[in-house]
Amino acid sequence: MTGIELSPPLMLAGLVAVLVLWAAWRLSVRRARKAAEATRRGGRLLSLTGRVLVGAALISGVQWLALTHPNSSGWAKLAALMVPALFASWVLVRALTVVSNEDHLRGRRRR
């Protein structure tokens, strides 16, 4: 029984074909990962936008009720305006405050 005999140009063509298939597979995996990450980012942005809009509508509705209700006291009106302002201020201060973390100094290990 004789074995399969391949000439060097035929072996080179087979090797090139395998390399092209491998490169195409890697490229398709990278494209799929990028597409999945873009979808996740877009979904997070849409979800965050929806939550912000619902929260703003809720706060505005409560403020409108407190300010336009004929029997509401001055304290209710003040609370309707101040409580959301305090929360907004707290979030902005936390977001804009720079915090240094000095636990990872060179030469020291946490124990």
Side-chain angles (χ1 to χ4, degrees), residues 10-85:
L10 192 57
M11 286 180 18
L12 182 62
L15 181 63
V16 168
V18 169
L19 287 176
V20 166
L21 287 174
W22 179 78
W25 175 73
R26 293 287 298 164
L27 185 63
S28 68
V29 167
R30 287 182 185 163
R31 283 184 183 167
R33 284 184 187 153
K34 285 181 183 178
E37 182 62 30
T39 302
R40 265 185 253 130
R41 264 191 252 125
R44 279 184 267 175
L45 178 63
L46 186 61
S47 175
L48 178 63
T49 304
R51 284 183 277 168
V52 166
L53 291 176
V54 168
L58 181 67
I59 290 170
S60 298
V62 170
Q63 286 177 334
W64 180 79
L65 283 174
L67 295 174
T68 59
H69 194 273
N71 296 332
S72 66
S73 67
W75 290 109
K77 291 178 182 179
L78 185 66
L81 293 173
M82 288 300 295
V83 171

